[in-house]
Amino acid sequence: MELRVEALSKTYENGVKALDNVTLSIQPGMYGLLGPNGAGKSTLMRIRATLLEPDSGQAFLGEIDMLRQKIEVRRVLGYLPQEFGVYPRTSAQQMLEHLAVLKGLSNRRERKETVESLLQFVNLYPCRRKSLTSFSGGMRQRFGIAQALLGRPQLLIVDEPTAGLDPGERNRFYNLLSEIGEQVIVILSTHIVQDVMQLCANMSIIHEGKVLYAGDGFEPTPPDLEDVFFSRILQLGS
Ligand code: ADP
């Protein structure tokens, strides 16, 4: 399945042009969407997740017209937003069961199996009975991935997922994403160059709503060269 975005534009009511004629083609695997804060990444993600309407342009996921067939898109979409709601006092297992019901997994036995295997996959099974409020940032993100994978999505969107994670947790999260990326389209939106370098074979760079680069991932760049990297890509756009 391919994700195609054609000439998407979006201007907010305050006059900010968040997306300016964005065209991208994305194949299964890990795809990086890299850009500084305010570049337009979240706007693009929200449009793909059917939460926001563009002013013009088109988006297709395989045969699905993403701007018109929203229910079909939601059926094959997993989304881990930047802010993942409030964490109630319920346990990880109870919460995931609850979300699974909302996602339409009505068969009780199947639901239990799905929830348990997802908790195992994200390595939260040993603490499945603990309250979500007691989870660390990394554990919350892994829980976020588990909920995003309910219903076996074809497209998984993760928005700035490693913010606030320590290096160990970040690595664990990277590994999890790479494993998922073997089967589905995973779009990783981030301003962290390292995230994209380590994980994504294909990527695009977005700045001020425009695509400056779309193609192969780059060679890994040491963290202290990130500023150099960004000033170089900003020159590309000027
Ligand atoms: P990123 O995710 O790359 O940080 P965003 O898509 O959040 O970028 O934002 C792109 C631009 O649009 C920014 O200038 C931001 O201030 C503006 N913007 C985002 N959301 C809104 C909104 N709801 N109303 C007005 N402006 C917005």
Side-chain angles (χ1 to χ4, degrees), residues 84 86-99 119 127-135 140 143:
F84 181 63
V86 205
Y87 291 86
R89 282 184 182 279
T90 28
S91 74
Q93 186 163 17
Q94 280 170 331
M95 188 64 190
L96 204 54
E97 289 247 2
H98 176 66
L99 292 169
L119 287 169
C127 32
R128 66 193 180 282
R129 297 211 172 88
K130 288 198 177 140
S131 155
L132 286 166
T133 45
S134 70
F135 276 17
R140 286 178 185 198
F143 179 81

mmCIF file of all heavy atoms in Angstrom, residues 84 86-99 119 127-135 140 143:
data_model
loop_
_atom_site.group_PDB
_atom_site.id
_atom_site.type_symbol
_atom_site.label_atom_id
_atom_site.label_comp_id
_atom_site.label_asym_id
_atom_site.label_seq_id
_atom_site.Cartn_x
_atom_site.Cartn_y
_atom_site.Cartn_z
ATOM 1 N N PHE A 84 -0.770 12.606 24.335
ATOM 2 C CA PHE A 84 -1.652 11.453 24.364
ATOM 3 C C PHE A 84 -2.570 11.506 25.586
ATOM 4 O O PHE A 84 -2.395 10.800 26.560
ATOM 5 C CB PHE A 84 -0.841 10.154 24.338
ATOM 6 C CG PHE A 84 -1.699 8.932 24.333
ATOM 7 C CD1 PHE A 84 -2.555 8.678 23.279
ATOM 8 C CD2 PHE A 84 -1.694 8.048 25.400
ATOM 9 C CE1 PHE A 84 -3.369 7.565 23.277
ATOM 10 C CE2 PHE A 84 -2.508 6.927 25.410
ATOM 11 C CZ PHE A 84 -3.345 6.690 24.347
ATOM 12 N N VAL A 86 -5.193 12.147 28.781
ATOM 13 C CA VAL A 86 -5.001 12.092 30.225
ATOM 14 C C VAL A 86 -4.800 10.623 30.598
ATOM 15 O O VAL A 86 -5.365 9.745 29.970
ATOM 16 C CB VAL A 86 -6.274 12.587 30.950
ATOM 17 C CG1 VAL A 86 -5.937 13.103 32.327
ATOM 18 C CG2 VAL A 86 -7.013 13.614 30.132
ATOM 19 N N TYR A 87 -3.998 10.386 31.586
ATOM 20 C CA TYR A 87 -3.783 9.002 32.014
ATOM 21 C C TYR A 87 -4.595 8.723 33.271
ATOM 22 O O TYR A 87 -4.279 9.219 34.340
ATOM 23 C CB TYR A 87 -2.294 8.755 32.245
ATOM 24 C CG TYR A 87 -1.551 8.788 30.945
ATOM 25 C CD1 TYR A 87 -1.092 9.972 30.422
ATOM 26 C CD2 TYR A 87 -1.394 7.625 30.206
ATOM 27 C CE1 TYR A 87 -0.463 10.016 29.196
ATOM 28 C CE2 TYR A 87 -0.764 7.658 28.985
ATOM 29 C CZ TYR A 87 -0.301 8.852 28.489
ATOM 30 O OH TYR A 87 0.309 8.900 27.271
ATOM 31 N N PRO A 88 -5.649 7.956 33.138
ATOM 32 C CA PRO A 88 -6.513 7.707 34.287
ATOM 33 C C PRO A 88 -5.865 6.715 35.253
ATOM 34 O O PRO A 88 -4.807 6.150 34.976
ATOM 35 C CB PRO A 88 -7.763 7.113 33.650
ATOM 36 C CG PRO A 88 -7.295 6.513 32.379
ATOM 37 C CD PRO A 88 -6.076 7.240 31.946
ATOM 38 N N ARG A 89 -6.534 6.483 36.363
ATOM 39 C CA ARG A 89 -5.985 5.592 37.380
ATOM 40 C C ARG A 89 -6.163 4.118 37.045
ATOM 41 O O ARG A 89 -5.797 3.262 37.815
ATOM 42 C CB ARG A 89 -6.653 5.878 38.727
ATOM 43 C CG ARG A 89 -6.094 7.107 39.373
ATOM 44 C CD ARG A 89 -6.678 7.335 40.749
ATOM 45 N NE ARG A 89 -6.133 8.570 41.291
ATOM 46 C CZ ARG A 89 -4.946 8.654 41.863
ATOM 47 N NH1 ARG A 89 -4.192 7.595 42.005
ATOM 48 N NH2 ARG A 89 -4.499 9.815 42.299
ATOM 49 N N THR A 90 -6.739 3.835 35.907
ATOM 50 C CA THR A 90 -6.932 2.428 35.528
ATOM 51 C C THR A 90 -5.602 1.768 35.172
ATOM 52 O O THR A 90 -4.626 2.449 34.861
ATOM 53 C CB THR A 90 -7.816 2.313 34.265
ATOM 54 O OG1 THR A 90 -7.640 3.478 33.503
ATOM 55 C CG2 THR A 90 -9.254 2.087 34.574
ATOM 56 N N SER A 91 -5.612 0.443 35.164
ATOM 57 C CA SER A 91 -4.395 -0.283 34.804
ATOM 58 C C SER A 91 -4.221 -0.258 33.285
ATOM 59 O O SER A 91 -5.180 -0.012 32.538
ATOM 60 C CB SER A 91 -4.489 -1.726 35.289
ATOM 61 O OG SER A 91 -5.380 -2.446 34.466
ATOM 62 N N ALA A 92 -2.994 -0.555 32.858
ATOM 63 C CA ALA A 92 -2.690 -0.576 31.423
ATOM 64 C C ALA A 92 -3.608 -1.577 30.711
ATOM 65 O O ALA A 92 -4.151 -1.289 29.639
ATOM 66 C CB ALA A 92 -1.233 -0.953 31.219
ATOM 67 N N GLN A 93 -3.781 -2.737 31.330
ATOM 68 C CA GLN A 93 -4.590 -3.775 30.700
ATOM 69 C C GLN A 93 -6.058 -3.346 30.565
ATOM 70 O O GLN A 93 -6.655 -3.478 29.493
ATOM 71 C CB GLN A 93 -4.505 -5.064 31.519
ATOM 72 C CG GLN A 93 -5.213 -6.219 30.848
ATOM 73 C CD GLN A 93 -4.789 -7.553 31.440
ATOM 74 O OE1 GLN A 93 -4.218 -7.608 32.534
ATOM 75 N NE2 GLN A 93 -5.049 -8.608 30.721
ATOM 76 N N GLN A 94 -6.610 -2.775 31.652
ATOM 77 C CA GLN A 94 -8.011 -2.342 31.609
ATOM 78 C C GLN A 94 -8.212 -1.262 30.552
ATOM 79 O O GLN A 94 -9.183 -1.293 29.795
ATOM 80 C CB GLN A 94 -8.426 -1.769 32.969
ATOM 81 C CG GLN A 94 -8.754 -2.828 33.995
ATOM 82 C CD GLN A 94 -8.914 -2.211 35.380
ATOM 83 O OE1 GLN A 94 -8.306 -1.180 35.689
ATOM 84 N NE2 GLN A 94 -9.714 -2.852 36.199
ATOM 85 N N MET A 95 -7.280 -0.321 30.507
ATOM 86 C CA MET A 95 -7.410 0.790 29.557
ATOM 87 C C MET A 95 -7.345 0.280 28.117
ATOM 88 O O MET A 95 -8.118 0.705 27.261
ATOM 89 C CB MET A 95 -6.295 1.812 29.812
ATOM 90 C CG MET A 95 -6.441 3.076 29.022
ATOM 91 S SD MET A 95 -7.938 3.970 29.493
ATOM 92 C CE MET A 95 -7.982 5.210 28.230
ATOM 93 N N LEU A 96 -6.413 -0.644 27.882
ATOM 94 C CA LEU A 96 -6.266 -1.168 26.517
ATOM 95 C C LEU A 96 -7.500 -1.986 26.127
ATOM 96 O O LEU A 96 -7.969 -1.917 24.983
ATOM 97 C CB LEU A 96 -4.990 -2.011 26.430
ATOM 98 C CG LEU A 96 -4.370 -2.156 25.053
ATOM 99 C CD1 LEU A 96 -4.102 -0.816 24.397
ATOM 100 C CD2 LEU A 96 -3.065 -2.945 25.136
ATOM 101 N N GLU A 97 -8.052 -2.720 27.079
ATOM 102 C CA GLU A 97 -9.301 -3.477 26.836
ATOM 103 C C GLU A 97 -10.421 -2.507 26.447
ATOM 104 O O GLU A 97 -11.167 -2.735 25.508
ATOM 105 C CB GLU A 97 -9.732 -4.229 28.101
ATOM 106 C CG GLU A 97 -8.844 -5.396 28.443
ATOM 107 C CD GLU A 97 -9.561 -6.725 28.298
ATOM 108 O OE1 GLU A 97 -10.729 -6.716 27.903
ATOM 109 O OE2 GLU A 97 -8.920 -7.754 28.579
ATOM 110 N N HIS A 98 -10.491 -1.419 27.212
ATOM 111 C CA HIS A 98 -11.524 -0.419 26.974
ATOM 112 C C HIS A 98 -11.376 0.185 25.559
ATOM 113 O O HIS A 98 -12.342 0.292 24.798
ATOM 114 C CB HIS A 98 -11.396 0.655 28.049
ATOM 115 C CG HIS A 98 -12.333 1.802 27.877
ATOM 116 N ND1 HIS A 98 -13.702 1.674 27.997
ATOM 117 C CD2 HIS A 98 -12.108 3.094 27.558
ATOM 118 C CE1 HIS A 98 -14.259 2.838 27.762
ATOM 119 N NE2 HIS A 98 -13.322 3.721 27.492
ATOM 120 N N LEU A 99 -10.129 0.546 25.215
ATOM 121 C CA LEU A 99 -9.884 1.133 23.888
ATOM 122 C C LEU A 99 -10.162 0.110 22.783
ATOM 123 O O LEU A 99 -10.601 0.473 21.692
ATOM 124 C CB LEU A 99 -8.435 1.649 23.795
ATOM 125 C CG LEU A 99 -8.143 2.858 24.702
ATOM 126 C CD1 LEU A 99 -6.644 3.130 24.759
ATOM 127 C CD2 LEU A 99 -8.873 4.099 24.212
ATOM 128 N N LEU A 119 0.443 -6.048 24.765
ATOM 129 C CA LEU A 119 1.198 -5.679 25.976
ATOM 130 C C LEU A 119 2.544 -6.399 26.002
ATOM 131 O O LEU A 119 3.560 -5.832 26.427
ATOM 132 C CB LEU A 119 0.386 -6.007 27.234
ATOM 133 C CG LEU A 119 -0.798 -5.063 27.497
ATOM 134 C CD1 LEU A 119 -1.709 -5.608 28.586
ATOM 135 C CD2 LEU A 119 -0.320 -3.663 27.876
ATOM 136 N N CYS A 127 4.017 -5.305 33.791
ATOM 137 C CA CYS A 127 3.386 -4.260 34.629
ATOM 138 C C CYS A 127 1.983 -3.913 34.127
ATOM 139 O O CYS A 127 1.527 -2.787 34.276
ATOM 140 C CB CYS A 127 4.272 -3.024 34.734
ATOM 141 S SG CYS A 127 5.263 -2.688 33.318
ATOM 142 N N ARG A 128 1.316 -4.898 33.535
ATOM 143 C CA ARG A 128 -0.006 -4.643 32.958
ATOM 144 C C ARG A 128 -1.056 -4.246 33.999
ATOM 145 O O ARG A 128 -2.046 -3.606 33.674
ATOM 146 C CB ARG A 128 -0.484 -5.871 32.176
ATOM 147 C CG ARG A 128 -0.736 -7.098 33.035
ATOM 148 C CD ARG A 128 -0.881 -8.332 32.188
ATOM 149 N NE ARG A 128 -1.125 -9.533 32.980
ATOM 150 C CZ ARG A 128 -0.197 -10.198 33.651
ATOM 151 N NH1 ARG A 128 1.060 -9.760 33.645
ATOM 152 N NH2 ARG A 128 -0.505 -11.281 34.335
ATOM 153 N N ARG A 129 -0.828 -4.651 35.261
ATOM 154 C CA ARG A 129 -1.832 -4.355 36.298
ATOM 155 C C ARG A 129 -1.544 -3.040 37.019
ATOM 156 O O ARG A 129 -2.298 -2.627 37.873
ATOM 157 C CB ARG A 129 -1.904 -5.493 37.311
ATOM 158 C CG ARG A 129 -2.348 -6.793 36.674
ATOM 159 C CD ARG A 129 -3.119 -7.700 37.589
ATOM 160 N NE ARG A 129 -3.638 -8.821 36.817
ATOM 161 C CZ ARG A 129 -2.963 -9.951 36.596
ATOM 162 N NH1 ARG A 129 -1.768 -10.112 37.093
ATOM 163 N NH2 ARG A 129 -3.501 -10.915 35.870
ATOM 164 N N LYS A 130 -0.449 -2.390 36.632
ATOM 165 C CA LYS A 130 -0.111 -1.112 37.285
ATOM 166 C C LYS A 130 -0.929 0.022 36.672
ATOM 167 O O LYS A 130 -1.284 -0.023 35.485
ATOM 168 C CB LYS A 130 1.377 -0.819 37.115
ATOM 169 C CG LYS A 130 2.232 -1.722 37.963
ATOM 170 C CD LYS A 130 3.621 -1.137 38.130
ATOM 171 C CE LYS A 130 4.433 -2.023 39.045
ATOM 172 N NZ LYS A 130 5.801 -2.164 38.608
ATOM 173 N N SER A 131 -1.157 1.027 37.487
ATOM 174 C CA SER A 131 -1.922 2.182 37.030
ATOM 175 C C SER A 131 -1.108 2.984 36.003
ATOM 176 O O SER A 131 0.112 3.146 36.155
ATOM 177 C CB SER A 131 -2.240 3.038 38.246
ATOM 178 O OG SER A 131 -2.443 4.355 37.848
ATOM 179 N N LEU A 132 -1.780 3.487 34.995
ATOM 180 C CA LEU A 132 -1.078 4.274 33.962
ATOM 181 C C LEU A 132 -0.445 5.534 34.549
ATOM 182 O O LEU A 132 0.555 6.024 34.038
ATOM 183 C CB LEU A 132 -2.062 4.656 32.857
ATOM 184 C CG LEU A 132 -2.478 3.524 31.918
ATOM 185 C CD1 LEU A 132 -3.686 3.927 31.101
ATOM 186 C CD2 LEU A 132 -1.328 3.150 30.999
ATOM 187 N N THR A 133 -1.032 6.042 35.625
ATOM 188 C CA THR A 133 -0.476 7.256 36.243
ATOM 189 C C THR A 133 0.918 7.002 36.815
ATOM 190 O O THR A 133 1.695 7.929 36.976
ATOM 191 C CB THR A 133 -1.387 7.776 37.389
ATOM 192 O OG1 THR A 133 -1.763 6.655 38.183
ATOM 193 C CG2 THR A 133 -2.598 8.481 36.866
ATOM 194 N N SER A 134 1.222 5.717 37.120
ATOM 195 C CA SER A 134 2.532 5.414 37.711
ATOM 196 C C SER A 134 3.601 5.168 36.638
ATOM 197 O O SER A 134 4.766 4.966 36.958
ATOM 198 C CB SER A 134 2.422 4.176 38.615
ATOM 199 O OG SER A 134 2.217 3.024 37.813
ATOM 200 N N PHE A 135 3.218 5.184 35.362
ATOM 201 C CA PHE A 135 4.157 4.867 34.272
ATOM 202 C C PHE A 135 5.143 6.012 34.013
ATOM 203 O O PHE A 135 4.782 7.182 34.108
ATOM 204 C CB PHE A 135 3.372 4.596 32.970
ATOM 205 C CG PHE A 135 2.864 3.176 32.840
ATOM 206 C CD1 PHE A 135 2.796 2.329 33.933
ATOM 207 C CD2 PHE A 135 2.456 2.700 31.598
ATOM 208 C CE1 PHE A 135 2.327 1.033 33.807
ATOM 209 C CE2 PHE A 135 1.985 1.404 31.458
ATOM 210 C CZ PHE A 135 1.918 0.573 32.562
ATOM 211 N N ARG A 140 4.745 5.146 28.976
ATOM 212 C CA ARG A 140 3.535 5.760 28.399
ATOM 213 C C ARG A 140 3.576 5.735 26.883
ATOM 214 O O ARG A 140 2.577 5.457 26.226
ATOM 215 C CB ARG A 140 3.386 7.204 28.877
ATOM 216 C CG ARG A 140 2.953 7.279 30.294
ATOM 217 C CD ARG A 140 2.849 8.708 30.760
ATOM 218 N NE ARG A 140 2.527 8.711 32.177
ATOM 219 C CZ ARG A 140 2.040 9.748 32.828
ATOM 220 N NH1 ARG A 140 1.826 10.868 32.192
ATOM 221 N NH2 ARG A 140 1.784 9.665 34.103
ATOM 222 N N PHE A 143 2.896 2.333 25.763
ATOM 223 C CA PHE A 143 1.452 2.085 25.857
ATOM 224 C C PHE A 143 0.730 2.756 24.680
ATOM 225 O O PHE A 143 -0.175 2.190 24.075
ATOM 226 C CB PHE A 143 0.894 2.609 27.189
ATOM 227 C CG PHE A 143 -0.581 2.391 27.306
ATOM 228 C CD1 PHE A 143 -1.086 1.154 27.685
ATOM 229 C CD2 PHE A 143 -1.483 3.404 26.990
ATOM 230 C CE1 PHE A 143 -2.449 0.922 27.742
ATOM 231 C CE2 PHE A 143 -2.846 3.186 27.046
ATOM 232 C CZ PHE A 143 -3.329 1.939 27.434
#
